[in-house]
Amino acid sequence: MFKSDDVFYKICFDSILEGICIANEEGRIVMINSALGEIFGYKKSEILGRKIDFLIPKSHHHIHHEQFNSFVKSPKKYKKGKGREFLGLHKNGSTLDLEIGLNYIEHEGSFYAKALISEIGTRKKHELLIKERNRNLEFEVEQQTAQLTHVVSELERSNLKLKEEIKERIIAENKAKIALEKEKELNIMQTKFISLASHEFKTPLSGILTSAGLIEKYNDKEPNGNINSHVTKIKNLVIQLNNILDDFLFLENTESENYAMRLSRFKFCDLINKLVKDAKAILKEGQKIEITPCKFSVELLQDRKVIDIIIKNVLYNAIKYSPEYSVIRMKIHNNDVLKISIEDEGIGIPKEEQEHVFERFYRAKNALPIQGTGIGLNIAKRYLVKLNGSIDIQSREHKGTKVVLQLPVTYKNLKAQD
């Protein structure tokens, strides 16, 4: 087929990528291909005729001799792989990781061993790297598994704790609901009792006031200053008690929300002038009320009684908590809404207690020695909200208090509109 088969076979022999080494039964190398020289770093001339030993580290010579002699005595074909690995010695002295496949040839009555050799150092490195990575991965998995187990355990404990907390919270909420219902019942009972007592007090107080008026009338025939003084005092005390009872009756209506607004048209200045006139009866010695003249003709469509209660509570507080010979100043402005400011020179409200003054029955610590119920401002605030108005307090302890009320001229039921 070819002009020179020997040349063709030689080209094929040298072109094989794996190293081929053929040795006689003495272990001397008689033929190699180019790839073998490249693996060990030698030229062909440096290898041919030499024993195979020089391509193997000295520490492995005895093993090689045993294996080679055994192969010569009982030759077999051994494919590459399946553990057929050994160490080689490079020309530069470095160790090579090699893999070998064995076969044998008999030619002209002579025995030859044929070895097919591959350099597997790179593969070994990759295998070692893969093994190392696998070990690291296994270690990481173990670590992560341990951490996950710990986290799961913690979550289970937290879950149990949370269940206990939820259980306790439900129990506490149920107790709180029961307590709240009892408190509501108690508040209703208290309010009803206060209302009942207030109604019962109204009748005898009215009688006392009538009797005081008759005493004053009879005294006109034979004037006695002491009698007039005591009668005035009795009237003032009755007026104060009546105001307190009115507050309690309004408190019942506020709590039950049964109070229906009784709207009417009235002149605001008439209401203010009457309030100031009535308040003079309870002024302390030397006290006086200075009022910006209320001359504008504003007509309100509101519940006159509610407006009266709100302003009277604020004005009477100013008188009650101010000393003798002090001045209570009342100013009235009419723009889009009515603005009434009442300023006194009284004991004032401690800064830390100002946020509580609208709470029912609350009284500041410096007000405790002075008689009072602690419901006046609470009622004023509740009804101002109902009237769509507002109340603002500015106060400094020992300096006085300024209360600013704002009222719409016409009452509008915003809830009904909604």
Side-chain angles (χ1 to χ4, degrees):
M1 183 180 294
F2 298 100
K3 292 180 179 180
S4 177
D5 289 342
D6 291 342
V7 173
F8 177 75
Y9 291 146
K10 186 176 185 308
I11 292 172
C12 291
F13 187 75
D14 279 335
S15 65
I16 295 174
L17 296 176
E18 294 172 306
I20 298 175
C21 179
I22 299 175
N24 60 23
E25 56 186 286
E26 294 177 0
R28 290 191 182 276
I29 300 169
V30 298
M31 185 180 291
I32 65 169
N33 67 347
S34 299
L36 187 79
E38 292 174 3
I39 291 173
F40 288 94
Y42 290 100
K43 295 178 181 179
K44 285 185 180 182
S45 59
E46 295 177 307
I47 297 177
L48 292 174
R50 302 182 66 175
K51 281 198 170 186
I52 300 172
D53 288 358
F54 89 103
L55 297 178
I56 298 171
K58 288 184 179 180
S59 58
H60 286 68
H61 282 184
H62 65 286
I63 297 173
H64 168 69
H65 291 158
E66 290 176 3
Q67 291 178 342
F68 186 80
N69 292 333
S70 175
F71 180 74
V72 171
K73 289 178 181 178
S74 302
K76 292 180 183 179
K77 294 181 180 180
Y78 294 99
K79 292 183 179 180
K80 282 176 37 175
K82 297 184 180 179
R84 305 298 297 178
E85 297 177 6
F86 71 103
L87 295 178
L89 183 65
H90 195 273
K91 184 178 179 180
N92 62 14
S94 62
T95 302
L96 300 172
D97 287 305
L98 304 172
E99 187 177 60
I100 188 170
L102 288 174
N103 201 349
Y104 61 93
I105 301 169
E106 291 182 357
H107 180 67
E108 296 180 353
S110 298
F111 176 87
Y112 298 94
K114 177 186 175 183
L116 190 64
I117 299 171
S118 298
E119 201 277 319
I120 59 171
T122 303
R123 192 183 79 189
K124 293 279 284 187
K125 288 179 181 177
H126 287 161
E127 289 176 353
L128 289 173
L129 182 61
I130 290 170
K131 287 180 180 179
E132 181 65 23
R133 287 179 178 174
N134 284 340
R135 282 196 295 270
N136 292 338
L137 184 59
E138 288 173 0
F139 177 76
E140 185 68 24
V141 168
E142 288 177 0
Q143 291 289 100
Q144 293 291 342
T145 302
Q147 290 179 11
L148 185 60
T149 303
H150 177 72
V151 170
V152 170
S153 178
E154 288 295 317
L155 284 173
E156 288 175 349
R157 282 196 291 269
S158 298
N159 192 34
L160 288 173
K161 186 178 179 181
L162 183 60
K163 286 181 179 178
E164 289 297 321
E165 289 177 356
I166 291 172
K167 185 178 178 181
E168 291 175 2
R169 188 177 299 172
I170 291 171
I171 294 171
E173 286 177 355
N174 289 335
K175 288 182 179 179
K177 285 179 182 178
I178 294 171
L180 182 61
E181 291 301 320
K182 288 183 178 179
E183 185 179 356
K184 285 181 180 178
E185 291 176 7
L186 182 61
N187 283 340
I188 291 171
M189 291 175 63
Q190 287 176 339
T191 304
K192 286 183 177 179
F193 173 77
I194 290 171
S195 176
L196 179 63
S198 298
H199 280 293
E200 292 299 318
F201 276 118
K202 278 280 187 179
T203 302
L205 284 175
S206 179
I208 292 170
L209 193 61
T210 302
S211 297
L214 290 172
I215 292 170
E216 189 175 34
K217 185 177 179 181
Y218 295 146
N219 190 53
D220 287 343
K221 296 177 181 179
E222 296 181 12
N224 186 311
N226 288 331
I227 292 176
N228 283 334
S229 175
H230 286 296
V231 168
T232 301
K233 190 171 184 179
I234 290 170
K235 285 184 174 181
N236 290 343
L237 291 172
V238 170
I239 290 170
Q240 288 184 33
L241 281 171
N242 264 316
N243 289 334
I244 292 171
L245 294 175
D246 284 339
D247 284 347
F248 281 131
L249 290 171
F250 255 66
L251 178 64
E252 180 194 16
N253 293 324
T254 305
E255 289 293 318
S256 61
E257 297 185 355
N258 290 328
Y259 185 80
M261 302 298 286
R262 297 174 178 85
L263 301 181
S264 64
R265 293 189 180 277
F266 59 93
K267 291 182 179 180
F268 181 67
C269 286
D270 292 346
L271 174 66
I272 292 295
N273 292 332
K274 183 178 183 306
L275 281 172
V276 172
K277 182 180 177 182
D278 292 344
K280 288 179 180 178
I282 62 168
L283 288 175
K284 297 175 184 175
E285 186 176 349
Q287 275 187 337
K288 63 179 181 177
I289 300 173
E290 289 183 359
I291 179 171
T292 302
C294 185
K295 295 180 180 180
F296 49 83
S297 57
V298 178
E299 191 173 74
L300 271 61
L301 178 61
Q302 290 280 11
D303 188 319
R304 182 179 180 125
K305 185 176 181 181
V306 171
I307 303 295
D308 183 279
I309 288 284
I310 291 170
I311 298 175
K312 183 165 60 178
N313 266 305
V314 177
L315 180 59
Y316 282 21
N317 274 353
I319 295 169
K320 180 165 51 176
Y321 296 113
S322 294
E324 297 176 344
Y325 299 98
S326 62
V327 179
I328 291 92
R329 295 175 177 84
M330 180 183 286
K331 294 180 182 179
I332 302 166
H333 302 279
N334 177 32
N335 293 319
D336 295 333
V337 295
L338 280 171
K339 185 176 179 181
I340 307 105
S341 70
I342 300 172
E343 187 172 2
D344 64 53
E345 300 171 349
I347 61 175
I349 305 167
K351 186 175 181 180
E352 66 275 10
E353 298 191 66
Q354 290 179 18
E355 61 180 313
H356 302 291
V357 293
F358 296 112
E359 296 174 10
R360 189 179 63 177
F361 299 126
Y362 184 84
R363 303 191 71 211
K365 60 185 178 183
N366 61 342
L368 294 177
I370 302 170
Q371 288 184 343
T373 60
I375 62 172
L377 288 177
N378 177 266
I379 290 173
K381 177 71 177 284
R382 283 172 179 257
Y383 275 95
L384 276 167
V385 171
K386 191 177 180 69
L387 295 174
N388 309 317
S390 65
I391 180 170
D392 178 64
I393 290 182
Q394 302 162 22
S395 186
R396 291 175 61 194
E397 196 171 5
H398 309 303
K399 297 292 184 181
T401 300
K402 180 179 179 180
V403 181
V404 179
L405 307 171
Q406 293 196 79
L407 289 165
V409 175
T410 302
Y411 172 73
K412 294 180 180 178
N413 190 343
L414 296 182
K415 291 184 178 179
Q417 290 179 354
D418 293 340

